[in-house]
Every structure is written in C-alpha cells, then in structure tokens.
Amino acid sequence: MSSAYTNAMSQLDKAAAVMKLDPNMHETLRYPNRVVHVNIPVTMDDGSVKVFQGFRSQFNNALGVYKGGIRYHWNVSEDEVKALSFWMMVKCAAVNIPMGGGKGGVIVNPKELSEGEIERLSRGYVQGVWRNIGSDKDVPAPDVYTTPQIMGWMRDEYEKLVGHEDPGVITGKSIENGGSEARSYSTAQGGVYCTIELAKKLGLQPEETTVAVQGFGNAGSHMAKILSGLGYKIVAVTDSKGGAMNREGLDVAAVEAHKAETRSVSGAPGTEAISNDEILHLDVDILVPAALENVITAENAAGVQAKAVVELANGPTTPEADEILKEKGIVVVPDVLANAGGVTVSYFEWDQNVKGEHWSEEDVLTKLEKIMVSAFTEIWETKEQHSIDMRTAAFVKAIERVSEAMK
Ligand code: GLU
C-alpha cells in the first residue's frame, strides 16, 4: 500500500510547482513541528496489562491552534498520523478557518475492547499527551472509530490533570458535555453543501443524480441520509463487511436500521450484494469514498465510471489515481474541501466553549453553509484559472495562507 505521507507530499509538490512556492517554505512545510509518541498501559478486564502505542502529530500552527481528530485503528502508524495532520493544516486553511493542523492515533482494534477498556485507553492517551494539548494549544476531536463518549472521557481526564475546566480542549463532545449542535453530522453536511454546488456546475438535477457511498460509518451514513432526503438517488453503500445495492434507489433509513441490528449494511432487505471493489466501478454520477485512505488507486482508477468523486474520507485517492481520473474528465472534490464540515463545526464548538455560548442548530448550519459554499466557489475558480484539478487548487489557496502567516 502506498504511504499516506508520500502521497501527501506529492500533492504538496504539485501545488508548489503551480504557485511557484519559495523552496525554503516548501522544505519547511514537508515536516511536522513535532510528533509526540506515547505508550499506554491499559489494565484489561481479565487483569492483564496490554500496552498500546499512540501518537499526536502537531504539523503546523501558523494559522491557529493545532486541530484534528484522534483515530483508533489497527493500521495507525506514525506515517499515517503525520499525513493526516498535514491534511488538517491544508483543510483548515483551504476553508479559511483560524486553526492549524494536528492529528492523533492509537494502534488498536477498538471492536475487540470492552467499553471499560476503551475508557481506560482513552484516559491513558490523555495522561500521555496532556502537556501538549489544551484549548490554547492543540484541540483533538473524533476521527475513525472514536466517539463523543470518548471525547467526554478525554475532556474529563484532561481537566483532572490540569485542575481546572477547559471544555474547549477537545471537540466533538456530546451536546450535554459542551458539544455543538450539528457536530455529529457536520462532516457529511459539509460534503452535502459541496455536492449541491458541484451538481449546479455539472448541470445535474438531484432527482436524476445517482450516488454510491463506499463506507457507511458516521460520515458516509449521514451523507447517504441527507442526500437521499434532498431527492438524490443512493444506489449503493458498502461497509467493511459488505454492501447493499438497489438500482431504483435504496431506502437509506432501512439500510441503517439493518446495520444497527446486524452491524453491517450487507443483506439489507430488498438489496443486492455489492463488494467494496465493485462499488468503485459502478455506473453512477457521484462516487463518495467515505472510509479510509488509498481506496482509488493506479490499479482501479481506470474503471471508475462516475462523473465526479466527492471525498468524504481523508486521502482516499492516490496521486497516480488522481492523474488517471483527471484524464478521464472526472471531477474530484478533494477531502480537504469535501470533508471540512467536520472540523469547521469543531471550530464553532471550540469558539462556543471559549466564549461560554451555545448556538442553535440553525445558526450553526447557516455559518457552515456560508463557509463551505465560499470555499467551494473560490477553489472552483482557482481550478478554472490555472487549468488544474480541484485538489491542487485547494492546496494552492491553503498554502498561500499558511506560508503568508509563517513569513
Ligand atoms: N477527524 C475529522 C477530520 O479529519 C475532524 C477533525 C476535527 O474536528 O478537528 O477532519
């Protein structure tokens, strides 16, 4: 599998060439400011101790405090966390919010742990990194397989260690624990605002637009639900265990209910099976990778039939695949734009916490839509102006802002 960090760096190189980035700035932007390593001993339910390895990469804070989620996954590595923190820097700058880039991760399969073990692991992670985080330093959030409950444990542990309240130390908390309205579905909602703008550019009407979603986690399932509510036809969804397809359009709520019951979308009533490989080559208008990195690659990109790819996952398309999609005339709305709704509402959450406010869902959505639509428009115009793809355009706008602040 290609390295996420190598991929991220070739994306940087491509943008640097277009914008004629100063070579010294270019070199500086290749490295995170620091990566904190932690070993977390956890007492398991059977009394034995297991040590888990974790990371927090603080890539850049020129535009604001380090910001980005914490991932619990067996494939977490320093390379991946570094790449994800770099993408967070680009993402926040691309949508023009005053935050830097960070990311954390723990090498663990959370599906094998009990709730108590996950709580002890999460508190242990904070015991390892607490000196490096805080609402004025570095603000983590949820990512793959981490939840509002985990954010709550982390906030609690942090506040115990520092001895005072600091609700803005972490975002993606439950509403009762200082979270923001709409944060739970904001990654998807931001992707939906991008899809609406994209559909206008491509002349697609919602009712005539077919969509396939690879990955039915928090981001993918909300995306399918919201788009289907707007009239888009969701024809297929997959998760790590399999997939469900109906060419007439899925009943997304029924698929979700099936997943809640059986832990997979696979076998949902009234659907045909489809694999994670097959969904990428489905004849749909919009393909939404919503799971992990390196999904659309040099090996399978040629078979993509969609008119557009909306990247709800981070890093789903490799640089080689990007070239192939561009040659085929397929528009890619890049991760750093398409999934920026999550961190944007995290920024709102942090802002509310710091000011002691709580905004209504309507307020949050109005502000989110404004940010997403103006970023989409700016990036689209940059793409047209330089005849480049949207990813490179997003990078150009982002790196302009970061490098200006660093100077
Ligand atoms: N994990 C999400 C992302 O990759 C959200 C990060 C945040 O809210 O800070 O963008």
Side-chain angles (χ1 to χ4, degrees), residues 2 31 78 117 166 197 348:
S2 57
Y31 302 92
E78 182 174 358
E117 289 165 344
D166 190 12
E197 293 310 299
F348 297 158

Side-chain angles (χ1 to χ4, degrees), residues 275-319:
S275 73
N276 273 293
D277 289 334
E278 287 162 352
I279 197 170
L280 303 177
H281 292 164
L282 214 53
D283 181 14
V284 287
D285 296 304
I286 299 177
L287 174 64
V288 182
L292 293 163
E293 304 92 83
N294 295 331
V295 169
I296 305 177
T297 65
E299 284 72 52
N300 61 27
V304 174
Q305 298 191 60
K307 295 187 177 71
V309 174
V310 177
E311 295 184 334
L312 222 47
N314 288 308
T317 311
T318 66

Side-chain angles (χ1 to χ4, degrees), residues 54-373:
F55 309 92
R56 182 73 186 168
S57 170
Q58 300 183 322
F59 205 95
N60 185 288
N61 61 350
L63 290 172
V65 296
Y66 299 107
K67 187 81 196 79
I70 299 171
R71 171 175 296 199
Y72 285 179
H73 196 276
W74 49 96
N75 281 338
V76 162
S77 64
E78 182 174 358
D79 177 280
E80 184 194 54
V81 170
K82 268 163 54 183
L84 290 162
S85 68
F86 169 83
W87 284 323
M88 286 310 302
M89 171 192 78
V90 175
K91 190 184 301 187
C92 294
V95 297
N96 206 7
I97 59 172
M99 301 240 124
K103 195 81 169 204
V106 177
I107 307 171
V108 58
N109 183 353
K111 295 176 190 179
E112 289 172 354
L113 266 56
S114 70
E115 209 194 5
E117 289 165 344
I118 292 179
E119 175 174 355
R120 295 193 288 282
L121 174 70
S122 305
R123 292 184 180 277
Y125 180 84
V126 173
Q127 287 159 16
V129 303
W130 69 277
R131 283 190 182 79
N132 301 93
I133 64 174
S135 60
D136 58 350
K137 258 186 220 158
D138 181 355
V139 180
D143 194 72
V144 174
Y145 295 143
T146 49
T147 60
Q149 170 67 78
I150 292 173
M151 300 304 111
W153 289 323
M154 289 186 169
R155 172 187 170 186
D156 184 57
E157 192 63 27
Y158 178 79
E159 291 179 341
K160 277 186 193 159
L161 288 160
V162 296
H164 59 83
E165 289 230 340
D166 190 12
V169 63
I170 199 156
T171 59
K173 304 179 294 292
S174 67
I175 304 277
E176 299 72 28
N177 191 28
S180 176
E181 301 294 339
R183 177 63 187 87
S184 58
Y185 61 89
S186 58
T187 304
Q189 188 66 55
V192 168
Y193 291 137
C194 287
T195 305
I196 294 170
E197 293 310 299
L198 175 75
K200 285 186 208 159
K201 299 285 184 199
L202 301 181
L204 294 167
Q205 297 302 321
E207 290 73 20
E208 297 158 5
T209 305
T210 53
V211 182
V213 181
Q214 185 264 344
F216 204 70
N218 181 53
S221 64
H222 280 119
M223 178 91 167
K225 212 160 41 182
I226 303 170
L227 283 180
S228 140
L230 292 172
Y232 289 79
K233 211 196 259 185
I234 313 299
V235 295
V237 298
T238 56
D239 59 30
S240 58
K241 298 193 188 74
M245 174 171 72
N246 183 336
R247 293 201 179 265
E248 300 311 310
L250 292 167
D251 176 347
V252 178
V255 173
E256 208 182 12
H258 182 79
K259 176 152 185 156
E261 220 173 277
T262 65
R263 308 186 95 183
S264 176
V265 297
S266 164
T271 69
E272 287 169 57
I274 180 165
S275 73
N276 273 293
D277 289 334
E278 287 162 352
I279 197 170
L280 303 177
H281 292 164
L282 214 53
D283 181 14
V284 287
D285 296 304
I286 299 177
L287 174 64
V288 182
L292 293 163
E293 304 92 83
N294 295 331
V295 169
I296 305 177
T297 65
E299 284 72 52
N300 61 27
V304 174
Q305 298 191 60
K307 295 187 177 71
V309 174
V310 177
E311 295 184 334
L312 222 47
N314 288 308
T317 311
T318 66
E320 300 77 32
D322 257 339
E323 292 300 322
I324 298 169
L325 296 181
K326 186 161 186 245
E327 260 166 48
K328 287 171 66 92
I330 299 171
V331 183
V332 178
V333 184
D335 48 8
V336 292
L337 171 63
N339 72 31
V343 74
T344 300
V345 176
S346 272
Y347 159 56
F348 297 158
E349 181 173 331
W350 171 84
D351 199 25
Q352 291 169 78
N353 291 156
V354 173
K355 294 176 176 151
E357 295 176 358
H358 187 82
W359 308 344
S360 70
E361 187 173 9
E362 198 191 337
D363 274 357
V364 171
L365 291 178
T366 307
K367 287 178 207 269
L368 174 63
E369 182 174 16
K370 202 165 156 233
I371 288 183
M372 294 306 301
V373 172

